[in-house]
Amino acid sequence: MIEGKEALLLDMNSTFMFGEDRFGPDEDFSEYYRSIGGKLADNVVNRVIRKTYAYLDEKYPSVEYRDRFPSLEFAIEVSAGVDISISEKEILIKTFSFHEHGEIPQNYVTALRALKEKFTLALVIDIWAPKAMWVQTFRSLGLWELFSAHSFSSDHGIVKPSPRPFEMVVRELGLPKKKCLVIGDSIRRDLAGSQAASLDCVLVGGAESDLAFGSYSNLLEFQKNV
């Protein structure tokens, strides 16, 4: 076990969830949208989702929006260009969520359960859609109960590398910062955010920095070495 550390603050995307953010130019968003009862024309759906993604993607790295990141609902309203009913907006939000959402491989489920035997686990997650679909996935895999605290950026509009999500979680855990360790794949978001919050950070997924507490090829390797 890493000496002196009692809690792990875990990033999600490309840390233990993969295949997320399916917003490429060949993606047909209308297929899922139609499957859950959407009535708008296919070309309207694809245009709105693409414009919404572009709107949020442009603002995500900006310091100006770090502590006031727009909600997905607001982004859809700004990007639509036409009046959309409340019910259709909800279906568009679910469609965006589906394409933002990834998968948690079974070996990572096993690794998270093994880490829970040694550490208190918490989540510090940046997502643009409401968290409902992710919480449902965690529950279906028996993971939700592993986490003692969590921060989803879509709950409060604060995105990494702001230190505030990390600090929120540490306060909820009730532990000294020196006993907490952040794990993530991004130097800009996870390492810089944890440093701003005076927390140590381990990088996974191939990212490396002299400022990190350590680097591992992935979370599986980290789990096997603690």
mmCIF file of all heavy atoms in Angstrom, residues 171-213:
data_model
loop_
_atom_site.group_PDB
_atom_site.id
_atom_site.type_symbol
_atom_site.label_atom_id
_atom_site.label_comp_id
_atom_site.label_asym_id
_atom_site.label_seq_id
_atom_site.Cartn_x
_atom_site.Cartn_y
_atom_site.Cartn_z
ATOM 1 N N ARG A 171 -13.401 17.250 1.934
ATOM 2 C CA ARG A 171 -14.214 17.675 3.081
ATOM 3 C C ARG A 171 -15.275 16.635 3.416
ATOM 4 O O ARG A 171 -15.521 16.339 4.589
ATOM 5 C CB ARG A 171 -14.877 19.022 2.796
ATOM 6 C CG ARG A 171 -13.954 20.216 2.924
ATOM 7 C CD ARG A 171 -14.730 21.508 3.027
ATOM 8 N NE ARG A 171 -15.567 21.743 1.858
ATOM 9 C CZ ARG A 171 -15.158 22.401 0.779
ATOM 10 N NH1 ARG A 171 -13.916 22.876 0.714
ATOM 11 N NH2 ARG A 171 -15.973 22.586 -0.249
ATOM 12 N N GLU A 172 -15.901 16.068 2.372
ATOM 13 C CA GLU A 172 -16.925 15.055 2.606
ATOM 14 C C GLU A 172 -16.339 13.804 3.246
ATOM 15 O O GLU A 172 -16.971 13.168 4.097
ATOM 16 C CB GLU A 172 -17.632 14.713 1.293
ATOM 17 C CG GLU A 172 -18.865 13.852 1.474
ATOM 18 C CD GLU A 172 -19.652 13.665 0.187
ATOM 19 O OE1 GLU A 172 -19.374 14.380 -0.805
ATOM 20 O OE2 GLU A 172 -20.539 12.790 0.182
ATOM 21 N N LEU A 173 -15.129 13.458 2.848
ATOM 22 C CA LEU A 173 -14.470 12.280 3.440
ATOM 23 C C LEU A 173 -14.041 12.538 4.879
ATOM 24 O O LEU A 173 -13.923 11.608 5.685
ATOM 25 C CB LEU A 173 -13.255 11.885 2.605
ATOM 26 C CG LEU A 173 -13.521 11.337 1.205
ATOM 27 C CD1 LEU A 173 -12.203 11.110 0.472
ATOM 28 C CD2 LEU A 173 -14.343 10.060 1.258
ATOM 29 N N GLY A 174 -13.742 13.799 5.203
ATOM 30 C CA GLY A 174 -13.302 14.143 6.554
ATOM 31 C C GLY A 174 -11.892 13.688 6.859
ATOM 32 O O GLY A 174 -11.562 13.425 8.027
ATOM 33 N N LEU A 175 -11.042 13.617 5.833
ATOM 34 C CA LEU A 175 -9.655 13.182 6.006
ATOM 35 C C LEU A 175 -8.695 14.337 5.734
ATOM 36 O O LEU A 175 -8.994 15.218 4.932
ATOM 37 C CB LEU A 175 -9.335 12.032 5.046
ATOM 38 C CG LEU A 175 -9.979 10.678 5.330
ATOM 39 C CD1 LEU A 175 -9.734 9.737 4.155
ATOM 40 C CD2 LEU A 175 -9.424 10.079 6.614
ATOM 41 N N PRO A 176 -7.510 14.313 6.350
ATOM 42 C CA PRO A 176 -6.476 15.296 5.990
ATOM 43 C C PRO A 176 -6.039 15.094 4.541
ATOM 44 O O PRO A 176 -6.021 13.965 4.033
ATOM 45 C CB PRO A 176 -5.327 14.979 6.955
ATOM 46 C CG PRO A 176 -5.919 14.137 8.027
ATOM 47 C CD PRO A 176 -7.067 13.402 7.420
ATOM 48 N N LYS A 177 -5.684 16.173 3.864
ATOM 49 C CA LYS A 177 -5.264 16.066 2.472
ATOM 50 C C LYS A 177 -4.068 15.143 2.282
ATOM 51 O O LYS A 177 -3.954 14.449 1.270
ATOM 52 C CB LYS A 177 -4.945 17.457 1.919
ATOM 53 C CG LYS A 177 -6.170 18.327 1.711
ATOM 54 C CD LYS A 177 -5.790 19.657 1.077
ATOM 55 C CE LYS A 177 -7.032 20.496 0.789
ATOM 56 N NZ LYS A 177 -6.690 21.793 0.150
ATOM 57 N N LYS A 178 -3.178 15.112 3.270
ATOM 58 C CA LYS A 178 -1.974 14.288 3.135
ATOM 59 C C LYS A 178 -2.296 12.801 3.085
ATOM 60 O O LYS A 178 -1.463 11.992 2.663
ATOM 61 C CB LYS A 178 -0.999 14.581 4.266
ATOM 62 C CG LYS A 178 -1.502 14.191 5.652
ATOM 63 C CD LYS A 178 -0.490 14.551 6.722
ATOM 64 C CE LYS A 178 -0.990 14.170 8.115
ATOM 65 N NZ LYS A 178 -0.005 14.526 9.160
ATOM 66 N N LYS A 179 -3.508 12.434 3.506
ATOM 67 C CA LYS A 179 -3.908 11.026 3.474
ATOM 68 C C LYS A 179 -4.699 10.664 2.216
ATOM 69 O O LYS A 179 -5.143 9.537 2.054
ATOM 70 C CB LYS A 179 -4.740 10.689 4.719
ATOM 71 C CG LYS A 179 -3.942 10.753 6.018
ATOM 72 C CD LYS A 179 -4.752 10.268 7.198
ATOM 73 C CE LYS A 179 -3.940 10.284 8.484
ATOM 74 N NZ LYS A 179 -2.825 9.317 8.449
ATOM 75 N N CYS A 180 -4.870 11.635 1.318
ATOM 76 C CA CYS A 180 -5.649 11.432 0.096
ATOM 77 C C CYS A 180 -4.738 11.433 -1.134
ATOM 78 O O CYS A 180 -3.754 12.166 -1.188
ATOM 79 C CB CYS A 180 -6.704 12.532 -0.053
ATOM 80 S SG CYS A 180 -7.915 12.580 1.301
ATOM 81 N N LEU A 181 -5.110 10.629 -2.113
ATOM 82 C CA LEU A 181 -4.337 10.516 -3.352
ATOM 83 C C LEU A 181 -5.287 10.550 -4.539
ATOM 84 O O LEU A 181 -6.250 9.785 -4.598
ATOM 85 C CB LEU A 181 -3.551 9.205 -3.364
ATOM 86 C CG LEU A 181 -2.678 8.918 -4.588
ATOM 87 C CD1 LEU A 181 -1.534 9.923 -4.697
ATOM 88 C CD2 LEU A 181 -2.126 7.483 -4.526
ATOM 89 N N VAL A 182 -5.036 11.455 -5.473
ATOM 90 C CA VAL A 182 -5.817 11.553 -6.700
ATOM 91 C C VAL A 182 -5.234 10.603 -7.743
ATOM 92 O O VAL A 182 -4.015 10.476 -7.865
ATOM 93 C CB VAL A 182 -5.798 13.003 -7.237
ATOM 94 C CG1 VAL A 182 -6.507 13.095 -8.589
ATOM 95 C CG2 VAL A 182 -6.442 13.952 -6.218
ATOM 96 N N ILE A 183 -6.119 9.953 -8.497
ATOM 97 C CA ILE A 183 -5.685 9.097 -9.599
ATOM 98 C C ILE A 183 -6.430 9.514 -10.859
ATOM 99 O O ILE A 183 -7.663 9.531 -10.885
ATOM 100 C CB ILE A 183 -5.942 7.609 -9.318
ATOM 101 C CG1 ILE A 183 -5.232 7.166 -8.047
ATOM 102 C CG2 ILE A 183 -5.483 6.755 -10.503
ATOM 103 C CD1 ILE A 183 -5.429 5.716 -7.709
ATOM 104 N N GLY A 184 -5.684 9.860 -11.906
ATOM 105 C CA GLY A 184 -6.308 10.267 -13.153
ATOM 106 C C GLY A 184 -5.351 10.177 -14.319
ATOM 107 O O GLY A 184 -4.155 9.946 -14.135
ATOM 108 N N ASP A 185 -5.884 10.396 -15.513
ATOM 109 C CA ASP A 185 -5.077 10.226 -16.728
ATOM 110 C C ASP A 185 -4.618 11.541 -17.327
ATOM 111 O O ASP A 185 -3.823 11.538 -18.274
ATOM 112 C CB ASP A 185 -5.893 9.468 -17.782
ATOM 113 C CG ASP A 185 -7.029 10.316 -18.329
ATOM 114 O OD1 ASP A 185 -7.898 10.729 -17.541
ATOM 115 O OD2 ASP A 185 -7.036 10.591 -19.534
ATOM 116 N N SER A 186 -5.092 12.675 -16.817
ATOM 117 C CA SER A 186 -4.828 13.960 -17.466
ATOM 118 C C SER A 186 -3.876 14.834 -16.649
ATOM 119 O O SER A 186 -4.149 15.110 -15.472
ATOM 120 C CB SER A 186 -6.146 14.708 -17.684
ATOM 121 O OG SER A 186 -5.912 16.030 -18.116
ATOM 122 N N ILE A 187 -2.817 15.278 -17.282
ATOM 123 C CA ILE A 187 -1.896 16.206 -16.617
ATOM 124 C C ILE A 187 -2.587 17.544 -16.384
ATOM 125 O O ILE A 187 -2.475 18.130 -15.301
ATOM 126 C CB ILE A 187 -0.616 16.383 -17.461
ATOM 127 C CG1 ILE A 187 0.184 15.070 -17.469
ATOM 128 C CG2 ILE A 187 0.236 17.528 -16.921
ATOM 129 C CD1 ILE A 187 1.384 15.094 -18.397
ATOM 130 N N ARG A 188 -3.333 18.020 -17.386
ATOM 131 C CA ARG A 188 -3.962 19.337 -17.260
ATOM 132 C C ARG A 188 -5.098 19.343 -16.240
ATOM 133 O O ARG A 188 -5.212 20.259 -15.428
ATOM 134 C CB ARG A 188 -4.522 19.799 -18.618
ATOM 135 C CG ARG A 188 -5.060 21.228 -18.593
ATOM 136 C CD ARG A 188 -5.698 21.622 -19.910
ATOM 137 N NE ARG A 188 -6.989 21.001 -20.114
ATOM 138 C CZ ARG A 188 -8.121 21.467 -19.583
ATOM 139 N NH1 ARG A 188 -8.118 22.529 -18.797
ATOM 140 N NH2 ARG A 188 -9.266 20.855 -19.833
ATOM 141 N N ARG A 189 -5.932 18.322 -16.275
ATOM 142 C CA ARG A 189 -7.118 18.329 -15.416
ATOM 143 C C ARG A 189 -6.857 17.706 -14.047
ATOM 144 O O ARG A 189 -7.154 18.299 -13.013
ATOM 145 C CB ARG A 189 -8.273 17.606 -16.119
ATOM 146 C CG ARG A 189 -8.765 18.316 -17.368
ATOM 147 C CD ARG A 189 -10.018 17.653 -17.937
ATOM 148 N NE ARG A 189 -9.773 16.269 -18.337
ATOM 149 C CZ ARG A 189 -9.329 15.905 -19.541
ATOM 150 N NH1 ARG A 189 -9.038 16.826 -20.451
ATOM 151 N NH2 ARG A 189 -9.156 14.630 -19.832
ATOM 152 N N ASP A 190 -6.321 16.480 -14.036
ATOM 153 C CA ASP A 190 -6.191 15.747 -12.775
ATOM 154 C C ASP A 190 -4.965 16.174 -11.976
ATOM 155 O O ASP A 190 -5.067 16.458 -10.789
ATOM 156 C CB ASP A 190 -6.152 14.236 -13.050
ATOM 157 C CG ASP A 190 -7.408 13.763 -13.754
ATOM 158 O OD1 ASP A 190 -8.504 14.085 -13.278
ATOM 159 O OD2 ASP A 190 -7.298 13.091 -14.793
ATOM 160 N N LEU A 191 -3.810 16.220 -12.633
ATOM 161 C CA LEU A 191 -2.593 16.606 -11.917
ATOM 162 C C LEU A 191 -2.636 18.089 -11.532
ATOM 163 O O LEU A 191 -2.391 18.437 -10.373
ATOM 164 C CB LEU A 191 -1.361 16.314 -12.765
ATOM 165 C CG LEU A 191 -0.015 16.716 -12.147
ATOM 166 C CD1 LEU A 191 0.207 16.029 -10.804
ATOM 167 C CD2 LEU A 191 1.137 16.415 -13.101
ATOM 168 N N ALA A 192 -2.964 18.955 -12.473
ATOM 169 C CA ALA A 192 -3.000 20.391 -12.169
ATOM 170 C C ALA A 192 -4.074 20.711 -11.141
ATOM 171 O O ALA A 192 -3.864 21.528 -10.239
ATOM 172 C CB ALA A 192 -3.233 21.197 -13.445
ATOM 173 N N GLY A 193 -5.218 20.049 -11.246
ATOM 174 C CA GLY A 193 -6.280 20.286 -10.272
ATOM 175 C C GLY A 193 -5.923 19.813 -8.881
ATOM 176 O O GLY A 193 -6.196 20.500 -7.886
ATOM 177 N N SER A 194 -5.294 18.649 -8.808
ATOM 178 C CA SER A 194 -4.902 18.130 -7.494
ATOM 179 C C SER A 194 -3.798 18.990 -6.881
ATOM 180 O O SER A 194 -3.806 19.263 -5.669
ATOM 181 C CB SER A 194 -4.439 16.671 -7.602
ATOM 182 O OG SER A 194 -3.347 16.538 -8.488
ATOM 183 N N GLN A 195 -2.879 19.444 -7.714
ATOM 184 C CA GLN A 195 -1.829 20.338 -7.200
ATOM 185 C C GLN A 195 -2.424 21.642 -6.661
ATOM 186 O O GLN A 195 -2.004 22.139 -5.614
ATOM 187 C CB GLN A 195 -0.824 20.647 -8.306
ATOM 188 C CG GLN A 195 0.164 19.527 -8.562
ATOM 189 C CD GLN A 195 1.324 20.027 -9.400
ATOM 190 O OE1 GLN A 195 1.125 20.539 -10.494
ATOM 191 N NE2 GLN A 195 2.517 19.885 -8.878
ATOM 192 N N ALA A 196 -3.394 22.179 -7.379
ATOM 193 C CA ALA A 196 -4.045 23.408 -6.925
ATOM 194 C C ALA A 196 -4.766 23.202 -5.601
ATOM 195 O O ALA A 196 -4.924 24.142 -4.818
ATOM 196 C CB ALA A 196 -5.032 23.894 -7.983
ATOM 197 N N ALA A 197 -5.178 21.955 -5.345
ATOM 198 C CA ALA A 197 -5.845 21.622 -4.090
ATOM 199 C C ALA A 197 -4.880 21.088 -3.034
ATOM 200 O O ALA A 197 -5.299 20.646 -1.965
ATOM 201 C CB ALA A 197 -6.941 20.579 -4.347
ATOM 202 N N SER A 198 -3.573 21.101 -3.342
ATOM 203 C CA SER A 198 -2.525 20.596 -2.432
ATOM 204 C C SER A 198 -2.699 19.115 -2.132
ATOM 205 O O SER A 198 -2.568 18.661 -0.989
ATOM 206 C CB SER A 198 -2.528 21.409 -1.125
ATOM 207 O OG SER A 198 -2.284 22.775 -1.373
ATOM 208 N N LEU A 199 -2.984 18.356 -3.193
ATOM 209 C CA LEU A 199 -3.136 16.909 -3.083
ATOM 210 C C LEU A 199 -2.122 16.214 -3.984
ATOM 211 O O LEU A 199 -1.781 16.717 -5.060
ATOM 212 C CB LEU A 199 -4.547 16.489 -3.505
ATOM 213 C CG LEU A 199 -5.702 16.940 -2.621
ATOM 214 C CD1 LEU A 199 -7.021 16.795 -3.379
ATOM 215 C CD2 LEU A 199 -5.742 16.123 -1.333
ATOM 216 N N ASP A 200 -1.647 15.053 -3.556
ATOM 217 C CA ASP A 200 -0.778 14.241 -4.400
ATOM 218 C C ASP A 200 -1.608 13.563 -5.488
ATOM 219 O O ASP A 200 -2.791 13.257 -5.295
ATOM 220 C CB ASP A 200 -0.064 13.177 -3.572
ATOM 221 C CG ASP A 200 0.979 13.771 -2.637
ATOM 222 O OD1 ASP A 200 1.641 14.746 -3.036
ATOM 223 O OD2 ASP A 200 1.125 13.266 -1.503
ATOM 224 N N CYS A 201 -0.965 13.305 -6.644
ATOM 225 C CA CYS A 201 -1.675 12.706 -7.773
ATOM 226 C C CYS A 201 -0.812 11.645 -8.442
ATOM 227 O O CYS A 201 0.370 11.869 -8.709
ATOM 228 C CB CYS A 201 -2.040 13.789 -8.789
ATOM 229 S SG CYS A 201 -2.851 13.189 -10.297
ATOM 230 N N VAL A 202 -1.415 10.499 -8.714
ATOM 231 C CA VAL A 202 -0.809 9.449 -9.530
ATOM 232 C C VAL A 202 -1.436 9.509 -10.911
ATOM 233 O O VAL A 202 -2.665 9.604 -11.048
ATOM 234 C CB VAL A 202 -1.041 8.064 -8.896
ATOM 235 C CG1 VAL A 202 -0.882 6.959 -9.933
ATOM 236 C CG2 VAL A 202 -0.080 7.831 -7.748
ATOM 237 N N LEU A 203 -0.604 9.458 -11.939
ATOM 238 C CA LEU A 203 -1.076 9.473 -13.316
ATOM 239 C C LEU A 203 -1.147 8.053 -13.868
ATOM 240 O O LEU A 203 -0.268 7.223 -13.597
ATOM 241 C CB LEU A 203 -0.150 10.313 -14.188
ATOM 242 C CG LEU A 203 -0.175 11.826 -13.933
ATOM 243 C CD1 LEU A 203 0.979 12.506 -14.670
ATOM 244 C CD2 LEU A 203 -1.512 12.434 -14.351
ATOM 245 N N VAL A 204 -2.201 7.776 -14.633
ATOM 246 C CA VAL A 204 -2.355 6.479 -15.290
ATOM 247 C C VAL A 204 -2.630 6.717 -16.772
ATOM 248 O O VAL A 204 -2.897 7.831 -17.204
ATOM 249 C CB VAL A 204 -3.501 5.654 -14.664
ATOM 250 C CG1 VAL A 204 -3.169 5.276 -13.230
ATOM 251 C CG2 VAL A 204 -4.828 6.409 -14.738
ATOM 252 N N GLY A 205 -2.532 5.642 -17.549
ATOM 253 C CA GLY A 205 -2.880 5.735 -18.961
ATOM 254 C C GLY A 205 -1.777 6.259 -19.858
ATOM 255 O O GLY A 205 -2.032 6.659 -20.992
ATOM 256 N N GLY A 206 -0.555 6.293 -19.366
ATOM 257 C CA GLY A 206 0.564 6.724 -20.187
ATOM 258 C C GLY A 206 1.036 8.137 -19.923
ATOM 259 O O GLY A 206 2.117 8.525 -20.374
ATOM 260 N N ALA A 207 0.256 8.936 -19.200
ATOM 261 C CA ALA A 207 0.691 10.299 -18.873
ATOM 262 C C ALA A 207 1.805 10.254 -17.830
ATOM 263 O O ALA A 207 1.763 9.454 -16.901
ATOM 264 C CB ALA A 207 -0.490 11.114 -18.339
ATOM 265 N N GLU A 208 2.780 11.111 -17.996
ATOM 266 C CA GLU A 208 3.897 11.157 -17.057
ATOM 267 C C GLU A 208 4.276 12.600 -16.764
ATOM 268 O O GLU A 208 4.186 13.470 -17.630
ATOM 269 C CB GLU A 208 5.118 10.418 -17.622
ATOM 270 C CG GLU A 208 4.906 8.918 -17.793
ATOM 271 C CD GLU A 208 6.168 8.212 -18.249
ATOM 272 O OE1 GLU A 208 7.188 8.897 -18.471
ATOM 273 O OE2 GLU A 208 6.135 6.972 -18.381
ATOM 274 N N SER A 209 4.690 12.855 -15.539
ATOM 275 C CA SER A 209 5.149 14.182 -15.138
ATOM 276 C C SER A 209 6.011 14.047 -13.897
ATOM 277 O O SER A 209 5.719 13.230 -13.011
ATOM 278 C CB SER A 209 3.953 15.107 -14.837
ATOM 279 O OG SER A 209 4.397 16.315 -14.246
ATOM 280 N N ASP A 210 7.054 14.850 -13.832
ATOM 281 C CA ASP A 210 7.903 14.867 -12.645
ATOM 282 C C ASP A 210 7.150 15.389 -11.423
ATOM 283 O O ASP A 210 7.589 15.177 -10.285
ATOM 284 C CB ASP A 210 9.129 15.752 -12.891
ATOM 285 C CG ASP A 210 10.085 15.168 -13.923
ATOM 286 O OD1 ASP A 210 10.023 13.939 -14.145
ATOM 287 O OD2 ASP A 210 10.866 15.929 -14.508
ATOM 288 N N LEU A 211 6.039 16.054 -11.662
ATOM 289 C CA LEU A 211 5.245 16.614 -10.562
ATOM 290 C C LEU A 211 4.280 15.609 -9.958
ATOM 291 O O LEU A 211 3.695 15.859 -8.906
ATOM 292 C CB LEU A 211 4.463 17.840 -11.059
ATOM 293 C CG LEU A 211 5.303 18.998 -11.600
ATOM 294 C CD1 LEU A 211 4.388 20.083 -12.156
ATOM 295 C CD2 LEU A 211 6.210 19.570 -10.515
ATOM 296 N N ALA A 212 4.124 14.462 -10.622
ATOM 297 C CA ALA A 212 3.194 13.448 -10.139
ATOM 298 C C ALA A 212 3.807 12.625 -9.012
ATOM 299 O O ALA A 212 5.033 12.472 -8.925
ATOM 300 C CB ALA A 212 2.775 12.529 -11.280
ATOM 301 N N PHE A 213 2.952 12.075 -8.171
ATOM 302 C CA PHE A 213 3.361 11.194 -7.076
ATOM 303 C C PHE A 213 3.873 9.869 -7.634
ATOM 304 O O PHE A 213 4.642 9.167 -6.996
ATOM 305 C CB PHE A 213 2.157 10.975 -6.161
ATOM 306 C CG PHE A 213 2.482 10.378 -4.827
ATOM 307 C CD1 PHE A 213 3.141 11.120 -3.847
ATOM 308 C CD2 PHE A 213 2.106 9.080 -4.522
ATOM 309 C CE1 PHE A 213 3.424 10.564 -2.607
ATOM 310 C CE2 PHE A 213 2.386 8.526 -3.288
ATOM 311 C CZ PHE A 213 3.050 9.268 -2.327
#
